[in-house]
Amino acid sequence: MPVSNVNIARLFNRLADLLEIDGANPFRVRAYRNAAQTIRSHSRSMGEMVAQEEDLSELPGIGKEIAAKIKTIVEHGRLPQLERIETRVPAELSDMMQIEGLGPKRVKVLYRDLKIRSIEDLRRAAQTHRIRDLPGFGEKTEKTILRRVQTWTGQAPRTLLAEAEDIAEPMLRYLKDCKGVKRVIIAGSYRRRKETIGDLDILATAKTGSDVVQRFTRYEDVGEVVSSGKTRSTVHLKSGLQVDLRVVPDASYGAALHYFTGSKSHNIALRTMAQKRKMKINEYGVYKSNKKIAGRTETDIYKLFGLAYIDPELRENRGEIEAARDKRLPKLVSVKDIRGDLHMHTTATDGRNSLRDMAEAAAQRGYEYIAITDHSRHLTVANGLDAKRLMKQVEAIDRLNGELRNITILTAIELDILERGTLDLPDSVLKELDLTICSIHSSFRLSRKKQTERVLRAMDNPYFNIFAHPTGRLINKREAYDIDLERVVAGAKERGCYLEVNAEPERLDLNDDACRMAKHMGVKVAISTDAHSVSSLDHMRFGVDQARRGWLEASDVINTRPLNTLRRLFKRI
DNA sequence: GCCGTTTTCGGCCCGACTGTTTTCAGTCG
């Protein structure tokens, strides 16, 4: 199996860690980290690019040397330079840097003076008070290290965006209620609408002397106050989620919001532009020879560099700055562009609400149409529909359509794609429906080739319209099945099929990069909720967020079309 | 190690907080 971009990025990050501990040139270290970031977020696999002999050094932050190293990793699965340094610097030291408060310098001292090389060694040394006497350490640091090591769970978990909203909203209200506070907003990856967030970044503007930081540290859900100063503070909530608060004067709102929204690489790119113009950007404003020339709004800042306003979802240094300069930024799709939801379940299979409930709830949300897509017979655990039950549902939908004034229900089904690439119901049944969505619910472990061909074969069926949750991943729970998404997208293009952006918070499948790839290859998507209850219809916004991160415009999304146009899109024969 | 409408050499984002120091290094975002 080819090495994934994520795994290549991990190797470079590990190399960067070990080089840093070894005291290498910090800029060289950063170069490896930048390259790792580029590789991780690149929409095409390094493996394929190497196979097609493309020039990797054209990617940002990747030059001749790193390009050659990527090639070696792809072809041999190894990075010899990493293996060489591991003979001098134990690889586990890289894990120790995951402990908050431990960076390369301290890890180096711990290893050099006490031969500590694992988190377990670290715990024992802290318990037996051997750390406090090391140079640059003390009693307090030792206690902090012990506490962090004891609560260490391995991988730092990332919180689903939807869960983060539930935590953030009440906290926001609590902080707004503070005297002297003017504005409070959540910045960081939350504002960029990433599918998961590592921490919450809250920005407040307040008069000097406001006690907003104190109020923040006294929030009832705070488990530990990590730091707390005049203008910033970090806490851990009882759940373990880290929350950072930064306070700036209101006149710096735009600069601070921009700064704390990131991403880091977007900010660095912009700051480099500033440097070339002999200007300086920080969280308080843009400065030219110590004179503040912008900072009240984000728009002002972009304007200063000849750039159009860049939506937060695009700020990943993936070409948005160039696009803003050349006035070719996309006008991103928004929730109000969505005219209907094309994936939902009812009590006929595994949904919690009836057909009528779902239709009425959708109408209340202002939709013009919905598609009812209960499961097909193969999915027995969900009580999937056979031909007879499906036809009964179609009749029920016809009756309801006769009754409901303000919404049209499309007859549809979520069809299982069987292992050999056949669809779970015969064409004679499918031809009676307005559309189908097709998906994989079994045989996740097929080889990449077999899985890909399974889907392409299924798409050969002229009643195949939308490929639902195309990679099958469940965030933090289940990896995507191994599939060549590029071939699938190309296959959809040839055959007139569409891909779904599933808005369920733990699916968000297609993800942002894949959305972008689909757009580049000329394939349109449907953004749908996969709702199993009335309340889940509100997840639409998370799907839209993901599509926005993938640069999609309303014209890239089929369920922004009026009903008549939409119906035509599903006629393949 | 990467990069280039100042450059193929000499730069590389920048400020806050903590703890250990006694003026600052290390870490973080």
Side-chain angles (χ1 to χ4, degrees), chain A residues 452-567:
Chain A
T452 307
E453 283 166 5
R454 171 190 190 180
V455 173
L456 292 175
R457 203 168 305 132
M459 281 183 178
D460 284 336
N461 185 312
Y463 296 108
F464 186 123
N465 294 126
I466 301 172
F467 184 25
H469 42 76
T471 78
R473 63 113 176 230
L474 295 175
I475 300 171
N476 292 343
K477 281 189 188 155
R478 186 173 76 202
E479 292 283 314
Y481 34 73
D482 196 14
I483 193 163
D484 186 340
L485 207 54
E486 226 174 310
R487 271 186 76 196
V488 170
V489 175
K493 171 78 181 165
E494 283 166 18
R495 294 166 177 79
C497 302
Y498 308 96
L499 300 185
E500 180 182 80
V501 177
N502 190 295
E504 165 62 31
E506 70 173 10
R507 285 194 185 271
L508 297 176
D509 178 12
L510 302 173
N511 69 10
D512 50 358
D513 287 329
C515 284
R516 211 168 168 197
M517 177 168 79
K519 181 181 174 123
H520 277 303
M521 295 176 70
V523 173
K524 304 210 182 302
V525 306
I527 308 176
S528 305
T529 62
D530 200 352
H532 283 69
S533 67
V534 162
S535 61
S536 309
L537 290 171
D538 293 328
H539 289 152
M540 182 60 80
R541 66 179 188 282
F542 298 110
V544 171
D545 288 338
Q546 194 76 189
R548 289 168 65 88
R549 287 181 55 81
W551 294 53
L552 299 195
E553 305 181 81
S555 59
D556 300 313
V557 180
I558 59 173
N559 49 325
T560 61
R561 305 284 196 278
L563 183 58
N564 286 342
T565 318
L566 183 81
R567 281 187 192 277

Side-chain angles (χ1 to χ4, degrees), chain A residues 156-168:
Chain A
R158 291 187 64 89
T159 306
L160 292 183
L161 185 58
E163 294 167 356
E165 278 193 359
D166 291 341
I167 296 168

Side-chain angles (χ1 to χ4, degrees), chain A residues 79-247:
Chain A
L79 180 53
Q81 192 192 5
L82 179 61
E83 291 166 15
R84 275 198 301 280
I85 190 164
E86 280 175 358
T87 62
R88 273 183 296 128
V89 186
E92 308 99 290
L93 296 190
S94 162
D95 300 333
M96 280 169 59
M97 280 176 62
Q98 302 296 308
I99 300 290
E100 192 175 1
L102 289 189
K105 301 282 167 55
R106 284 177 169 164
V107 166
K108 186 177 185 175
V109 171
L110 289 164
Y111 177 60
R112 188 192 61 200
D113 293 2
L114 294 177
K115 294 283 167 266
I116 290 172
R117 50 189 291 164
S118 70
I119 291 180
E120 180 52 28
D121 291 347
L122 191 62
R123 187 182 61 78
R124 273 197 296 267
Q127 276 171 338
T128 51
H129 305 310
R130 286 183 292 140
I131 290 177
R132 56 181 63 180
D133 298 327
L134 291 174
F137 290 77
E139 198 177 330
K140 204 154 181 182
T141 306
E142 182 182 84
K143 280 188 174 149
T144 309
I145 288 175
L146 183 58
R147 198 172 61 239
R148 300 253 192 277
V149 166
Q150 280 168 338
T151 55
W152 171 247
T153 54
Q155 280 281 318
R158 291 187 64 89
T159 306
L160 292 183
L161 185 58
E163 294 167 356
E165 278 193 359
D166 291 341
I167 296 168
E169 293 301 329
M171 205 162 181
L172 211 56
R173 284 195 297 274
Y174 170 85
L175 290 173
K176 275 182 178 159
D177 215 19
C178 179
K179 221 180 108 190
V181 167
K182 185 143 188 213
R183 289 188 266 204
V184 190
I185 184 171
I186 303 177
S189 47
Y190 183 95
R191 183 162 180 250
R192 302 201 311 280
R193 308 310 283 164
K194 271 192 81 159
E195 60 196 29
T196 61
I197 59 146
D199 59 14
L200 271 182
D201 290 294
I202 304 182
L203 171 69
T205 68
K207 295 200 186 86
T208 46
S210 151
D211 61 354
V212 61
V213 173
Q214 287 79 352
R215 186 170 168 80
F216 173 69
T217 58
R218 287 197 302 264
Y219 185 62
E220 59 169 359
D221 199 28
V222 167
E224 183 195 346
V225 178
V226 179
S227 72
S228 164
K230 276 200 188 71
T231 63
R232 64 166 52 178
S233 170
T234 296
V235 301
H236 290 165
L237 299 183
K238 286 168 189 158
S239 64
L241 181 68
Q242 176 168 317
V243 188
D244 295 318
L245 172 72
R246 351 273 180 128
V247 187

Side-chain angles (χ1 to χ4, degrees), chain A residues 221-510:
Chain A
D221 199 28
V222 167
E224 183 195 346
V225 178
V226 179
S227 72
S228 164
K230 276 200 188 71
T231 63
R232 64 166 52 178
S233 170
T234 296
V235 301
H236 290 165
L237 299 183
K238 286 168 189 158
S239 64
L241 181 68
Q242 176 168 317
V243 188
D244 295 318
L245 172 72
R246 351 273 180 128
V247 187
V248 298
D250 202 57
S252 297
Y253 179 71
L257 184 57
H258 182 265
Y259 184 94
F260 296 124
T261 296
S263 67
K264 197 173 168 179
S265 58
H266 174 91
N267 286 357
I268 290 175
L270 207 65
R271 262 183 233 182
T272 309
M273 289 181 78
Q275 259 189 339
K276 283 180 189 152
R277 293 168 168 77
K278 301 262 187 259
M279 295 191 247
K280 191 179 82 169
I281 308 179
N282 60 27
E283 58 263 60
Y284 301 109
V286 185
Y287 296 84
K288 189 160 192 174
S289 38
N290 286 330
K291 192 167 163 275
K292 184 165 162 182
I293 52 175
R296 200 162 272 283
T297 71
E298 288 188 318
T299 307
D300 293 346
I301 295 172
Y302 285 120
K303 209 169 154 190
L304 203 59
F305 298 101
L307 303 177
Y309 175 79
I310 301 174
D311 286 308
E313 294 90 335
L314 299 180
R315 300 183 196 170
E316 300 288 347
N317 198 23
R318 294 192 283 210
E320 72 278 9
I321 292 176
E322 295 77 4
R325 185 191 59 207
D326 302 342
K327 305 274 181 279
R328 50 179 177 82
L329 279 172
K331 185 177 183 306
L332 298 180
V333 61
S334 74
V335 170
K336 64 177 191 304
D337 294 323
I338 302 292
R339 293 179 189 242
D341 192 335
L342 300 177
H343 186 167
M344 68 186 67
H345 299 268
T346 73
T347 44
T349 59
D350 58 352
R352 282 208 298 276
N353 292 97
S354 68
L355 175 60
R356 177 185 290 272
D357 287 346
M358 295 304 279
E360 285 175 350
Q364 267 173 22
R365 284 161 177 76
Y367 288 147
E368 294 172 24
Y369 50 81
I370 54 169
I372 296 294
T373 57
D374 272 311
H375 289 288
S376 63
R377 60 186 176 183
H378 183 255
L379 205 62
T380 48
V381 289
N383 190 23
L385 303 178
D386 57 18
K388 203 172 150 195
R389 288 175 60 216
L390 176 59
M391 284 306 120
K392 277 190 80 172
Q393 187 181 58
V394 168
E395 286 167 22
I397 289 174
D398 286 344
R399 280 197 302 276
L400 199 53
N401 271 333
E403 187 184 323
L404 296 176
R405 292 260 170 75
N406 47 1
I407 192 162
T408 301
I409 308 168
L410 298 170
T411 57
I413 188 157
E414 179 174 10
L415 271 174
D416 265 39
I417 299 171
L418 305 182
E419 189 171 334
R420 296 297 185 84
T422 50
L423 299 179
D424 192 23
L425 286 169
D427 292 359
S428 58
V429 178
L430 302 182
K431 75 175 174 33
E432 302 297 325
L433 302 173
D434 292 316
L435 73 140
T436 68
I437 67 176
C438 305
S439 58
I440 288 176
H441 292 112
S442 59
S443 304
F444 293 121
R445 290 171 178 277
L446 295 187
S447 71
R448 184 178 180 85
K449 188 163 182 288
K450 279 191 174 158
Q451 198 69 282
T452 307
E453 283 166 5
R454 171 190 190 180
V455 173
L456 292 175
R457 203 168 305 132
M459 281 183 178
D460 284 336
N461 185 312
Y463 296 108
F464 186 123
N465 294 126
I466 301 172
F467 184 25
H469 42 76
T471 78
R473 63 113 176 230
L474 295 175
I475 300 171
N476 292 343
K477 281 189 188 155
R478 186 173 76 202
E479 292 283 314
Y481 34 73
D482 196 14
I483 193 163
D484 186 340
L485 207 54
E486 226 174 310
R487 271 186 76 196
V488 170
V489 175
K493 171 78 181 165
E494 283 166 18
R495 294 166 177 79
C497 302
Y498 308 96
L499 300 185
E500 180 182 80
V501 177
N502 190 295
E504 165 62 31
E506 70 173 10
R507 285 194 185 271
L508 297 176
D509 178 12
L510 302 173

Side-chain angles (χ1 to χ4, degrees), chain A residues 28-67:
Chain A
R28 200 173 140 225
V29 172
R30 187 190 297 170
Y32 284 122
R33 295 227 162 95
N34 287 342
Q37 170 69 24
T38 297
I39 295 163
R40 183 184 296 272
S41 65
H42 195 62
S43 58
R44 299 197 41 223
S45 95
M46 295 296 120
E48 278 166 33
M49 291 183 73
V50 167
Q52 290 168 18
E53 297 187 349
E54 292 178 50
D55 185 7
L56 297 176
S57 70
E58 282 181 6
L59 298 174
I62 293 178
K64 285 219 156 30
E65 300 230 14
I66 293 184

